[in-house]
Amino acid sequence: MGEQPIFSTRAHVFQIDPNTKKNWVPTSKHAVTVSYFYDSTRNVYRIISLDGSKAIINSTITPNMTFTKTSQKFGQWADSRANTVYGLGFSSEHHLSKFAEKFQEFKEAARLAKEKSQEKMELTSTPSQESAGGDLQSPLTPESINGTDDERTPDVTQNSEPRPEPTQNALSFSHSSAISKHWEAELATLKGNNAKLTAALLESTANVKQWKQQLAAYQEEAERLHKRVTELECVSSQANAVHTHKTELNQTIQELEETLKVKEEEIERLKQEIDNARELQEQRDSLTQKLQYVGTVSCIILLYVQLLYIPTDFSR
């Protein structure tokens, strides 16, 4: 059957900057298809993504890998074989969760496949080791191969054919030596792979520590920005309150100015009324004086008339 896709989704693909090991570098201009592939022949799971004809992700899933969600729509994992860190930006949190579930599922399948392969190798190696051990239990001495002196004398005298046992022991010895060399080579290979895996694990651990530090720094920066936004919102609300209070004060001042203007007009009107009252008072005083003068004149006239009539009476 070969390698077949078993799950696909779409996402924006990123790789960590190899120089800074901090910044993300986009490897696709738009969302591309990211697929899980399964190779039934080798029992291997891979993540593959193509941008046109260019492979921008080719990552084999191992039991040591970890997929980390760094936000609601972004996740990442480290690939020690490719010596890079891949990042995927999804369109929704649901797509991210689905991809993470599949990653964990196929990672567990890869772990089980590795364990089964190791068990199979152990089962294959155990009979060979037992057979080799059985052959090597009796030491291979010259006597065991060629026989003792007592055994060799009859063979020579009787001129009989050689015994088959020494030939079989020799073949067993050479066979066990070949098996021993084979397993020594396998052991060396396993030691080398173990060293590589240990180095990859240490590198992944260092990367995880670095990512945790970056995450802590991002969280601190987010908290600082959140506090700054809160402060700006408070300042904005205070500014709005000050603006509202200023508007109210301006309205109050305008009302007071209008009231003052009305009062000034009323004062002017009262001043005019006072002036008019003074004029009327002066006119009244003038008329009073005139009336007093007229009264005085009238009294004088009456007296004069009376005086005119008095002599007439005396003559009588």
Side-chain angles (χ1 to χ4, degrees), residues 246-263:
K246 182 180 178 181
T247 304
E248 293 176 354
L249 289 176
N250 290 333
Q251 291 178 353
T252 304
I253 291 171
Q254 187 175 0
E255 291 174 357
L256 290 175
E257 288 177 350
E258 291 177 355
T259 304
L260 180 62
K261 186 176 180 181
V262 171
K263 294 296 181 183

Side-chain angles (χ1 to χ4, degrees), residues 202-265:
L202 293 174
E203 183 181 358
S204 299
T205 303
N207 290 334
V208 168
K209 290 182 180 179
Q210 184 179 2
W211 296 334
K212 286 183 177 179
Q213 292 176 356
Q214 292 178 2
L215 180 60
Y218 294 154
Q219 288 177 346
E220 291 179 359
E221 182 68 13
E223 290 179 359
R224 187 185 67 81
L225 292 175
H226 181 68
K227 290 181 180 178
R228 181 59 179 168
V229 169
T230 304
E231 292 175 357
L232 292 176
E233 288 178 350
C234 292
V235 171
S236 177
S237 61
Q238 292 177 358
N240 291 333
V242 170
H243 180 71
T244 304
H245 186 61
K246 182 180 178 181
T247 304
E248 293 176 354
L249 289 176
N250 290 333
Q251 291 178 353
T252 304
I253 291 171
Q254 187 175 0
E255 291 174 357
L256 290 175
E257 288 177 350
E258 291 177 355
T259 304
L260 180 62
K261 186 176 180 181
V262 171
K263 294 296 181 183
E264 288 178 351
E265 291 177 354

